[in-house]
Amino acid sequence: MLSSDDQVGDRTGEAMAVAEELLQVDDIQGNVLRGFNTAVLDLIGLKIAGTGARTWIASLADDIDSVSSTHGYRLQRSFAPEATAESVQINAAFSARGLKNLGMPVDSVKDGFFQSPMGALAGSLGDPVVAGKPSGYRLGTDWDDTPDLLLLVGGESQTAVAQAGDALIVAAKAAGLELCYHESGAKLPGDVEHFGFRDGISQPGVRGRLSAKADDFLTPRLLVPDDANFGRFSKPGQQLVWPGQFVFGYATQLPHDPFSLGPKSTGGAAWMENGSFLVFRRLGQDVPRFQAFASELASSLTRITGRNVNAEYAAALVVGRWPDGTPLLADGTGPNPTISGDDMLVNFFSYAGGPDRLNIRDGGALRTVSSAPADPKGLSCPMFAHIRKVNPRGLPTDQDTIPDQTLTMQMLRRGIPFGPKYTGNNAGDCRGLFFLAYMTSIQRQFAQLNRVWMNNSGAPELHDEGFDMLVGQAAKGDRFLTMRDAQGNEILRLPSADNWVLPTGGAFLFAPSISFFRNLALTS
């Protein structure tokens, strides 16, 4: 790894070449930094019991995929998909109770969220609570129904994933572990979530090199070296973030100086290096309720503005994008395949202060890409829109006047839907999203976005414009959104006592390094 003394660069204008850290790609789990991005993902929760548990868990070191193997898998899947059609990817994470059951000293772990079952903090997350207990949780209410060990098994074939998962369960049971949770998620056609919106478009670009080669980056760089923003963006709309925001033992992000290495992230224990916290949330989705609210919002806007507003546009206001992924800032008239189908345009926007254009090399050709117009007042993309609530790009917030501080709060999201696609005739079926996200501070990253921004009508922007009406929660059921005209006058304040995203449990977990598993065998 590089220390701050190893950094090199020449700040000529705003452009800067930055020496980035060499990632321990054979030791970091693959879903953390690279992401499986598979069509199917099995989640297997186990309780540690029996004398053979530790030995079997240690043997997982030979099965768990690293950044290196996941990177190779994804390259092969892109260029020769038939070669990976029956392959699977495996990762693992522990709860604090699970690590204690292995004899690990977890009291030194700094993050207080990790030390508790999710249900103990349900009220602070905005989840429904009755008599001090979370309502509707299917796992994570307390330690008794929180997995000690969560296995993630991903692949393109449902059969191959099921077979690999079943084999792991049989081996775990033989070693004395107990199965306490097992569910499967699968991508929906078009990579949408159950409300019909394309998901997973925006991710931070993680800094770091895969090998000693200077330009062998984890996140490919498309900007040409003489562009003023070279070294800041990997591609249009994707800012670069130091890896210590997601993996312990690496440089963290400095909000006031995104080019310089911040202090190395430390979780409080040496065995946490090359590991990452994993937040797992099981989120149910009530599609008819969401559609009913969109229709109500559309009717209200039609009545107030005197122009016909349809439910699709109203739903896009709640999300901040059209269903195909087109940002409202880029086109407020409807889905635009020219934008949504172009990876260089679909995410290139800022509410204020971002670059107007970037010069890139796209498929070998030089290209200048223009950003969507800024929207500091929230006239195109309202301040309550989900994508603006969780990532107020280019804006000062309630946390800091420096826009780049938002980068210190981003997570690496690896979620996947579960349950059948809504057809209009299957409203009673169980469906939703497995929210999975990696980070090095549950407090600063997940909780900041969840409690302080999504569930708060006056943040991140210092205006009382409403809650995140897509996924935000309000303990008293008094969520609302506000719409204004170009002069800043309030034209609509629409409350709703309904929630259409329903938290049904989860866990705060830790995904350790692969060497962690090998060391278990040495200390058993």
Side-chain angles (χ1 to χ4, degrees):
M1 297 183 195
L2 298 175
S3 69
S4 58
D5 293 332
D6 294 317
Q7 183 179 344
V8 297
D10 178 20
R11 293 178 189 262
T12 303
E14 293 183 24
M16 184 175 181
V18 181
E20 298 185 17
E21 297 166 291
L22 180 62
L23 302 168
Q24 303 302 307
V25 294
D26 293 321
D27 201 34
I28 302 168
Q29 294 197 46
N31 200 37
V32 180
L33 292 184
R34 191 63 176 94
F36 294 167
N37 194 30
T38 49
V40 182
L41 184 69
D42 255 20
L43 303 179
I44 301 168
L46 299 164
K47 285 290 189 182
I48 296 173
T51 57
R54 186 186 181 97
T55 300
W56 180 78
I57 292 171
S59 74
L60 290 174
D62 296 325
D63 298 317
I64 292 174
D65 284 281
S66 65
V67 170
S68 180
S69 62
T70 298
H71 181 65
Y73 164 83
R74 291 195 59 175
L75 287 176
Q76 192 172 35
R77 191 177 68 194
S78 296
F79 297 106
E82 67 282 354
T84 58
E86 300 301 317
S87 300
V88 298
Q89 295 279 292
I90 299 172
N91 270 190
F94 296 92
S95 67
R97 178 62 63 89
L99 289 171
K100 280 185 178 180
N101 288 342
L102 287 176
M104 299 301 299
V106 299
D107 292 342
S108 59
V109 177
K110 296 176 182 178
D111 200 296
F113 276 75
F114 177 67
Q115 302 284 2
S116 301
M118 187 169 284
L121 300 173
S124 69
L125 298 174
D127 298 354
V129 174
V130 177
K133 291 284 188 179
S135 173
Y137 267 33
R138 296 182 58 164
L139 77 160
T141 301
D142 49 37
W143 285 127
D144 289 342
D145 66 350
T146 297
D148 290 337
L149 172 64
L150 184 71
L151 301 179
L152 293 81
V153 184
E156 298 304 297
S157 163
Q158 193 167 24
T159 300
V161 169
Q163 289 176 345
D166 289 346
L168 285 167
I169 292 170
V170 169
K173 287 181 175 179
L177 287 86
E178 299 171 358
L179 181 68
C180 65
Y181 172 73
H182 189 192
E183 279 193 291
S184 182
K187 288 184 178 181
L188 298 175
D191 275 353
V192 301
E193 45 72 52
H194 283 290
F195 295 146
F197 286 80
R198 184 177 161 197
D199 198 19
I201 298 172
S202 177
Q203 291 274 18
V206 184
R207 292 189 187 272
R209 291 179 289 117
L210 296 172
S211 72
K213 297 178 182 177
D215 60 350
D216 188 14
F217 295 113
L218 172 69
T219 305
R221 310 302 160 84
L222 301 185
L223 271 66
V224 297
D226 60 353
D227 188 281
N229 286 282
F230 180 78
R232 183 183 175 197
F233 287 83
S234 56
K235 66 179 181 180
Q238 187 176 58
Q239 282 191 256
L240 291 163
V241 181
W242 290 97
Q245 298 300 128
F246 315 108
V247 179
F248 289 107
Y250 297 86
T252 51
Q253 190 79 10
L254 294 174
H256 298 181
D257 183 3
F259 292 104
S260 298
L261 293 85
K264 289 182 179 180
S265 54
T266 58
W271 49 265
M272 297 178 73
E273 187 161 330
N274 284 326
S276 176
F277 287 127
L278 169 61
V279 174
F280 165 41
R281 295 268 280 171
R282 188 184 186 278
L283 302 174
Q285 290 180 261
D286 191 324
V287 179
R289 281 191 180 184
F290 177 72
Q291 292 178 342
F293 179 76
S295 294
E296 181 184 2
L297 176 56
S299 297
S300 297
L301 289 173
T302 296
R303 183 180 66 255
I304 291 166
T305 64
R307 60 183 179 86
N308 185 42
V309 176
N310 61 34
E312 184 183 36
Y313 176 63
L317 289 173
V318 172
V319 176
R321 296 182 187 268
W322 294 96
D324 71 341
T326 302
L328 286 176
L329 265 68
D331 193 332
T333 65
N336 187 330
T338 301
I339 296 171
S340 62
D342 189 332
D343 197 38
M344 302 301 111
L345 292 176
V346 70
N347 207 33
F348 191 20
F349 62 91
S350 178
Y351 305 109
D356 294 330
R357 61 185 58 83
L358 294 173
N359 298 305
I360 64 171
R361 188 173 292 278
D362 186 7
L366 293 176
R367 178 182 174 191
T368 297
V369 184
S370 297
S371 170
D375 182 32
K377 294 184 178 181
L379 299 178
S380 298
C381 181
M383 295 179 187
F384 60 79
H386 172 66
I387 66 169
R388 186 161 180 157
K389 274 283 192 178
V390 298
N391 189 7
R393 311 171 184 212
L395 291 168
T397 70
D398 62 324
Q399 298 296 301
D400 202 330
T401 59
I402 304 298
D404 276 340
Q405 56 83 34
T406 302
L407 296 177
T408 69
M409 303 171 193
Q410 299 306 302
M411 304 171 283
L412 293 177
R413 294 173 291 111
R414 308 299 187 207
I416 192 168
F418 66 87
K421 179 180 173 64
Y422 178 68
T423 63
N425 299 315
N426 60 352
D429 290 346
C430 182
R431 61 177 54 83
L433 179 76
F434 293 140
F435 173 89
L436 298 158
Y438 293 93
M439 66 211 73
T440 51
S441 175
I442 302 175
Q443 173 70 40
R444 176 68 175 168
Q445 292 162 278
F446 167 75
Q448 175 67 37
L449 298 183
N450 187 89
R451 295 194 306 172
V452 184
W453 285 3
M454 293 192 305
N455 298 351
N456 187 343
S457 64
E461 299 172 66
L462 297 174
H463 305 278
D464 195 27
E465 301 300 279
F467 290 75
D468 180 337
M469 297 301 285
L470 183 68
V471 297
Q473 307 286 317
K476 298 179 181 178
D478 53 356
R479 300 190 306 151
F480 68 90
L481 61 78
T482 299
M483 298 285 293
R484 297 185 184 275
D485 61 20
Q487 289 71 45
N489 301 309
E490 182 178 305
I491 60 172
L492 174 65
R493 188 178 179 92
L494 182 63
S496 178
D498 272 347
N499 287 318
W500 28 89
V501 172
L502 309 169
T504 58
F508 300 119
L509 305 162
F510 178 70
S513 65
I514 295 172
S515 59
F516 172 93
F517 291 88
R518 300 197 190 284
N519 290 335
L520 283 179
L522 300 176
T523 57
S524 59

